[in-house]
Amino acid sequence: MTIDLALSSSRSQRSAVGASVLVRVSFKPSRSFSEMSSPGNHQPLPFSVDRVPDKELSRLRSWGFSGQTEIVRTNPSRVNLPPAKENSSVYPRELNRRGNDKTRIITTSLSVPLRYSHLAHAYYNFEFRKDDLVLVTYPRSGTTWTSEILWAMRNLRLLEQGEEITSGDRTTFIDMDFLMPSRADDDNPKVKEFLTLFPEGRVEDGVVLQMAKCHKGPRIMKTHLQIDLLNPDLLDTCKTVYVARNPKDVCVSLFHHGKISKMDPFEGEFPDFAEAFMADQVLYGPYWDHVKQAWKLKDHANLHFMFYEDMKRDIIGELTKLARFLQLDFTDEQLKTISDHASFGRMKSRHEQNASDRNHTPGFFRKGQTGDWDNAASGELTAAMDRWIADHSQDTDIVFRYK
Ligand code: PPS
């Protein structure tokens, strides 16, 4: 049985000509998520998830992070090294310390809210499908922009009919289950939908993940989790887009986001934030691990690596490359339609028109520019940041634009 479920009538969006458009998503109720994620179906985690010690939390508070009281970190120093699949196209050439080329090496060290430790298995074992499209980014790197583009490329017909549908639930942000965990008594449309589908369902096992699991597809999912924390079959299964942004502008954008974030508020000054960012202490840190993991895989046929700065410089050129990767054909006019639909101004204005939406974050679309670091940082801070970038660039040929 397939249920056609309207996501939420409050999310119905008005088209440019005023007609109401209901975004419909099809779900296939099947076994419950807890059933599907029984230990028997699980690959063991090749990393441990440990609490960040109180001493480090105090340091975070002294910098001005006032939100997260319990953070966990994936720990690369205590990894098991499970064998990679014989036919994996991603990992077979990697060697473990013993020189065994059938083994993955996990380098990840990621700081996330405590709730992740309960769900790490579910994320690592989340099964992707052939027709999925997965967007992976470090936060504030152009996630929302790119997800709008991916959605537009797959739904061009709606755009050409003049619809103005907001981002909302068109792509699934799977991290929500640990960023803002739901409770069964939440007044949240997602929780209500979930409990309608699974009256016996366990909200604490992750509403978004379970709904995604039951989504008929094709799905577009986005995450800030590093690639190593996702199912090792990801790239052997479906197409994945990674977007990177230069660390200076990511740092500035994250800082401003901290000023408006309910989930991870930051009340301090920019130099302290930048120090925490360079010390890999902000949520989803460390930045370089994240980017380098994807960069190593950039030549994989199922990974498309993009830079925010290139999108800013030549959006049509980047859309052309992205369309080729997705094996989609667009005319020049269609590419222009997609680029206009996902322009900063249009996205910001649609976001502002939906101020009553529970996901609305005023100020989310801030400047949308390259090079804002120069407006935020002193010469001394820039020198420290440049040293940090130089240190971390020694073992990679990744090169960012900063202007
Ligand atoms: S988040 O919170 O991690 O999902 O943020 P993310 O979407 O990755 O990044 C937010 C920054 O991207 C800018 N943005 C855009 N830039 C150009 N064009 C478009 N369409 C666009 N949409 C969002 C947004 O303004 C944030 O950057 P800053 O520098 O803070 O303005």
Side-chain angles (χ1 to χ4, degrees):
M1 176 181 61
T2 298
I3 295 178
D4 233 13
L5 187 75
L7 282 166
S8 150
S9 50
S10 66
R11 292 271 175 79
S12 307
Q13 308 301 338
R14 305 232 156 247
S15 75
V17 287
S20 182
V21 177
L22 203 56
V23 183
R24 300 194 82 87
V25 175
S26 296
F27 290 93
K28 249 192 329 200
S30 53
R31 292 171 297 155
S32 76
F33 186 71
S34 17
E35 216 183 319
M36 289 186 281
S37 41
S38 66
N41 297 337
H42 272 167
Q43 310 184 63
L45 285 187
F47 50 89
S48 63
V49 186
D50 304 312
R51 267 180 191 260
V52 168
D54 285 345
K55 213 168 97 186
E56 284 185 50
L57 289 178
S58 315
R59 194 164 165 225
L60 281 170
R61 275 193 288 277
S62 75
W63 272 320
F65 293 90
S66 52
Q68 300 294 337
T69 48
E70 293 177 305
I71 302 177
V72 288
R73 187 169 296 144
T74 55
N75 191 339
S77 61
R78 284 202 258 144
V79 295
N80 310 314
L81 294 171
K85 285 197 174 157
E86 288 288 336
N87 56 358
S88 167
S89 63
V90 180
Y91 299 105
R93 287 179 307 279
E94 299 208 357
L95 302 179
N96 71 6
R97 289 181 208 110
R98 294 182 294 276
N100 174 350
D101 68 358
K102 296 280 163 45
T103 302
R104 287 183 75 189
I105 298 173
I106 301 291
T107 56
T108 290
S109 161
L110 171 90
S111 296
V112 272
L114 174 67
R115 179 94 186 121
Y116 173 77
S117 55
H118 174 66
L119 295 170
H121 269 283
Y123 283 99
Y124 191 71
N125 285 281
F126 184 88
E127 283 175 20
F128 294 100
R129 304 180 199 142
K130 207 168 175 297
D131 61 354
D132 284 340
L133 197 43
V134 181
L135 173 63
V136 183
T137 58
Y138 186 84
R140 309 303 291 172
S141 299
T143 327
T144 318
W145 185 13
T146 312
S147 65
E148 192 71 13
I149 289 169
L150 294 176
W151 181 86
M153 284 189 162
R154 277 201 169 171
N155 294 276
L156 187 62
R157 206 172 37 84
L158 284 179
L159 287 188
E160 288 178 331
Q161 286 164 3
E163 311 292 9
E164 284 281 343
I165 308 168
T166 56
S167 293
D169 290 295
R170 294 188 309 218
T171 54
T172 303
F173 183 36
I174 56 176
D175 302 12
M176 283 309 267
D177 285 329
F178 63 84
L179 288 179
M180 299 184 91
S182 306
R183 294 188 320 271
D185 58 354
D186 268 355
D187 180 28
N188 176 337
K190 267 252 148 57
V191 173
K192 288 183 181 151
E193 286 161 22
F194 171 70
L195 290 173
T196 308
L197 280 170
F198 298 118
E200 308 291 319
R202 281 164 46 94
V203 170
E204 59 276 25
D205 284 344
V207 167
V208 177
L209 272 185
Q210 295 181 77
M211 298 275 280
K213 199 147 197 163
C214 300
H215 194 298
K216 197 178 94 188
R219 305 176 295 189
I220 304 179
M221 289 172 286
K222 57 185 178 185
T223 180
H224 297 315
L225 289 174
Q226 294 160 5
I227 288 181
D228 271 358
L229 299 177
L230 301 172
N231 194 316
D233 293 341
L234 169 70
L235 294 189
D236 285 328
T237 311
C238 62
K239 294 202 181 294
T240 299
V241 175
Y242 187 93
V243 183
R245 188 179 192 187
N246 81 64
K248 290 181 170 175
D249 289 338
V250 163
C251 180
V252 175
S253 183
L254 265 181
F255 164 71
H256 286 286
H257 191 62
K259 295 287 174 190
I260 56 171
S261 167
K262 291 182 205 130
M263 196 267 306
D264 187 26
F266 180 74
E267 287 164 6
E269 302 299 322
F270 181 62
D272 287 337
F273 186 91
E275 192 185 333
F277 179 73
M278 288 186 273
D280 298 333
Q281 295 286 325
V282 300
L283 278 196
Y284 286 109
Y287 168 88
W288 286 103
D289 257 15
H290 206 294
V291 177
K292 285 179 189 176
Q293 272 181 29
W295 185 247
K296 272 200 306 195
L297 298 166
K298 69 179 187 326
D299 297 326
H300 193 286
N302 262 353
L303 185 91
H304 184 65
F305 196 106
M306 302 173 75
F307 289 96
Y308 179 95
E309 295 76 20
D310 291 345
M311 292 166 72
K312 286 295 299 179
R313 281 165 71 104
D314 176 15
I315 185 64
I316 296 294
E318 290 305 306
L319 292 185
T320 305
K321 287 188 238 165
L322 180 59
R324 199 177 307 133
F325 168 71
L326 297 175
Q327 294 170 311
L328 295 171
D329 273 331
F330 297 115
T331 62
D332 291 351
E333 198 185 333
Q334 287 171 326
L335 287 179
K336 175 91 172 50
T337 302
I338 294 164
S339 128
D340 288 350
H341 171 79
S343 69
F344 182 80
R346 293 269 291 275
M347 288 184 67
K348 184 177 162 107
S349 132
R350 286 195 296 272
H351 186 71
E352 278 162 9
Q353 279 163 26
N354 285 279
S356 58
D357 190 299
R358 57 184 290 127
N359 295 331
H360 180 79
T361 312
F364 182 92
F365 293 89
R366 200 180 57 92
K367 288 191 176 175
Q369 288 169 7
T370 301
D372 200 31
W373 170 271
D374 292 344
N375 302 316
S378 65
E380 199 185 335
L381 190 55
T382 299
M385 179 55 117
D386 286 342
R387 275 195 304 276
W388 183 72
I389 292 171
D391 283 352
H392 286 278
S393 299
Q394 282 175 14
D395 62 350
T396 178
D397 56 358
I398 189 165
V399 177
F400 287 103
R401 291 181 201 277
Y402 292 92
K403 300 270 180 234

